[in-house]
Amino acid sequence: MSGAAGGQRNSGQGGERTSTVRRWLREPRDGALARLLSPQLWLGLFSAAVVLYLVSGDMGEASPGPVATVHARVDDLDGGNHCASCHGGWFSDMTASCLECHEAIGQQVEADTGLHGGMISDEQAGQCALCHSDHHGADFAMVNARTFALAGVADVEQFDHDLVGFEMRGVHLEAACSDCHLNAAEPVLPEGEARYLGLEAACASCHQDPHDGQMRVDCTSCHSQDTFYEQAFDSHDQHLPLSGGHADLTCRECHAHGDAHSLESHTIRLAAGRETTGRVCADCHESPHGGDLIASVAAAASRPEGESCVQCHEAEHMRFRQDGVTLSLDQHAAAGFHLDRPHHEVACTDCHDPAEPAYAERYPGRGQDDCHACHDDPHGGQFAAGPFADGGCVACHERQRFTPHAFSPEKHARTGLALAGTHLELSCHQCHSVPGHGGPRVFHGTPDQCSNCHEDAHRGYFDRFATELTDVKHGSCARCHLTTHFEDVAPEEFDHARWTGFPLAGAHAQNQCESCHPRAESADAAGRRFGIASEHFGRVEGCQSCHRDPHQGLFDLPHQPKQVEGATDCARCHGLASFRSLPFGFDHTQWTGFALEGAHGELGCSSCHTPLRRPDELGRTWGRARGQNCASCHRDPHVGQFERNQTTDCSRCHKDQHTFSRLSFRHDLDSRFRLGEPHRRLACAACHQSEQHGDSIFVRYRPLGTNCVDCHGAHRQPLRRRRR
């Protein structure tokens, strides 16, 4: 009845008692001779012999009934006259006789294991017939319900195998006794077989070994008694919890034959007492992520790259695309796309369509500047080629927003048209408009010629020079005009003589354009305020076309020449640089009738013709001469000291016509004071000092005292000369 011959005896039984059966088994070996010589033995044997004799005689030497078939098959037990074979002879008893055939039972009793060695009491162990009676006929089952009841098992179907050292759980509890003990229900035990004995607790004793003996550990190290397909690895959670997507996997899906991590290789390590080596996610799963993302996530978590998957994908997830998978802002940035504004508020599904079955389509690996991957091109492909094709949207727009744009003047210069001057003040739509039929605003291909935006303010005047102006990049206007205003003309670019036939030489080159082209108060239809010379002066036919004659015809008298060295009009006297410039000289006698002799011939014109601070009504800047005598032009510096008869004759003292400073004055003859030797060494100013007379400063010559006291002893402050 033992499930395992080697099972351990219950600790509460047998250890505290001395088995009678064991004593019987051991005594013949330990004290046979002493027992044979014992008087009590001989007396007992004699008494038993007498009793047997009387009984046998009483029974007529007949058996109490036929023995069971299992005993009847034994020759020594067949028939009714071999009682001693079971009941013992002169030197043994029935228990010893039973154990001679049932050695396995004796071994259980000897080792305190199994049902006979661990469950029944000493009295029961020494009385085999108490549980296994015979002589009830051939079909009598010697192991029956009464047998188990006497052993303490009320229901054999509920037998607790723990009592015999076999922990039976799970599906084993659902098995019938005969599923394991094939002869358990047989009323007559087949010859040579056992009913309950002979089985082992090892799984392979009943179940086929799918591992072909390669496992080095017991089956219970991996399998439970519930089912072979539900493995129980107490240490597996140390490496990977078998839950979520890993819960329904079979062992062989991860631990295949011949693999470095096969089940067999693990058991070899366990049997040798070595630690099993765990695996990282990358050992089993191919990652669709780029190396930069894996490296960045691993570095942030301070983990090897192969173990970084769990930073986003938990082992409990059923699949990698599970909704619970989240990515932090830093992790998303590690993937190559920073979720800055305005992407920080965008739902994941807005960019990653959950309906896409393939990872590559759902997560295409967009770059930070791949705006076109999500946003439509509002420009209709105008920038697919050109200087900004490689930069994408961020070549003109900020990453955080599309408006306002970030297209700077420096970037506009890359289009071939640099924005300068007033062009910088224009809004984009003033040059880049939406077509009348609709569609995107036109940027690429917008004309960059001046004439495409501006009307010709010159009314076609320069069309005759069109072939000479075609070398200008943005049109003929840029040949002369600056981008600040049309009024701003680069002087070095405009050849007035070439483009108008009128060379700007001398003073004409110094004048502002407005001198000949006066500005109008309001612009015309073409936006022009710059005057046209012919409209202002009429047909240009000489100096008088623009300049009025300040001489009022004084140089156009009949006796005066009409040409001087081929020059006519004002040019007979005046140069182009200035009206004061006289390239042919000026014959004063010829033109005015007043000969310039002596000092007059050395004077500049302004000495007699005073320059005017402002031109007069005729535009004249030099004043007319005052007259032909000295007093007409020269002021009397002596304030009438030498006046006679209301007339001052300068020639009395200033005879030299070249200079007034050369005097013809004899002090001893022409004055009342003779100069002695000491006075001759004195400067004139020592005696003749300056004085103030009204608004004039003059030198006092007369009257002066002639006595010594008039000069000596008097300290006079010199008068300041008035600046002339």
Side-chain angles (χ1 to χ4, degrees), residues 27-44:
E27 281 183 350
R29 295 191 297 271
D30 299 337
L33 181 60
R35 188 178 177 192
L36 290 174
L37 298 178
S38 174
Q40 292 83 355
L41 174 62
W42 289 106
L43 180 59

Side-chain angles (χ1 to χ4, degrees), residues 507-538:
H508 291 138
Q510 304 300 321
N511 286 339
Q512 296 294 323
C513 300
E514 289 83 349
S515 300
C516 297
H517 304 276
R519 294 181 181 274
E521 294 183 0
S522 58
D524 59 13
R528 175 180 179 135
R529 295 179 59 241
F530 197 62
I532 298 177
S534 60
E535 293 180 353
H536 181 66
F537 298 107

Side-chain angles (χ1 to χ4, degrees), residues 478-724:
R479 184 62 179 263
C480 303
H481 296 279
L482 302 180
T483 57
T484 50
H485 294 89
F486 276 110
E487 292 86 347
D488 297 334
V489 178
E492 66 278 5
E493 294 294 337
F494 186 73
D495 188 344
H496 203 278
R498 180 181 183 185
W499 307 124
T500 67
F502 187 85
L504 294 180
H508 291 138
Q510 304 300 321
N511 286 339
Q512 296 294 323
C513 300
E514 289 83 349
S515 300
C516 297
H517 304 276
R519 294 181 181 274
E521 294 183 0
S522 58
D524 59 13
R528 175 180 179 135
R529 295 179 59 241
F530 197 62
I532 298 177
S534 60
E535 293 180 353
H536 181 66
F537 298 107
R539 186 175 181 178
V540 178
E541 294 179 339
C543 303
Q544 70 275 9
S545 299
C546 300
H547 304 282
R548 297 174 63 184
D549 180 11
H551 306 297
Q552 296 178 309
L554 292 178
F555 299 113
D556 292 322
L557 300 176
H559 66 277
Q560 295 172 334
K562 303 300 179 183
Q563 289 188 356
V564 175
E565 296 187 16
T568 62
D569 206 355
C570 302
R572 292 175 295 169
C573 299
H574 300 283
L576 294 176
S578 171
F579 280 113
R580 295 179 177 81
S581 172
L582 304 174
F584 307 119
F586 185 74
D587 188 343
H588 204 274
T589 303
Q590 181 181 4
W591 294 104
T592 67
F594 183 80
L596 296 178
E597 299 175 347
H600 289 136
E602 300 174 0
L603 296 177
C605 301
S606 59
S607 298
C608 297
H609 303 277
T610 306
L612 304 178
R613 292 184 178 181
R614 297 176 181 175
D616 59 15
E617 65 279 2
L618 297 176
R620 183 185 180 99
T621 58
W622 282 354
R624 295 181 179 276
R626 297 183 181 88
Q628 296 186 359
N629 53 43
C630 299
S632 299
C633 296
H634 303 285
R635 183 177 61 85
D636 181 9
H638 307 300
V639 294
Q641 295 180 72
F642 301 102
E643 183 178 338
R644 292 180 179 179
N645 299 321
Q646 298 180 347
T647 301
T648 300
D649 184 8
C650 300
S651 61
R652 291 175 56 199
C653 300
H654 305 282
K655 298 183 181 297
D656 193 333
Q657 295 185 4
H658 291 85
T659 174
F660 280 107
S661 59
R662 183 175 299 174
L663 299 177
S664 296
F665 183 76
R666 296 167 298 178
H667 207 283
D668 293 344
L669 298 177
D670 296 331
S671 70
R672 294 180 302 145
F673 186 79
R674 293 176 61 85
L675 295 178
E677 185 61 28
H679 292 106
R680 292 183 185 278
R681 295 193 297 268
L682 295 177
C684 298
C687 296
H688 302 283
Q689 298 181 358
S690 298
E691 293 184 9
Q692 182 78 29
H693 178 72
D695 294 334
S696 302
I697 297 175
F698 67 99
V699 178
R700 171 63 68 181
Y701 289 103
R702 56 187 299 187
L704 286 178
T706 59
N707 296 319
C708 297
V709 70
D710 292 332
C711 295
H712 298 286
H715 300 282
R716 299 178 180 177
Q717 293 294 332
L719 294 177
R720 294 183 180 179
R721 294 182 179 276
R722 185 174 64 179
R723 184 176 299 174
R724 306 183 76 177

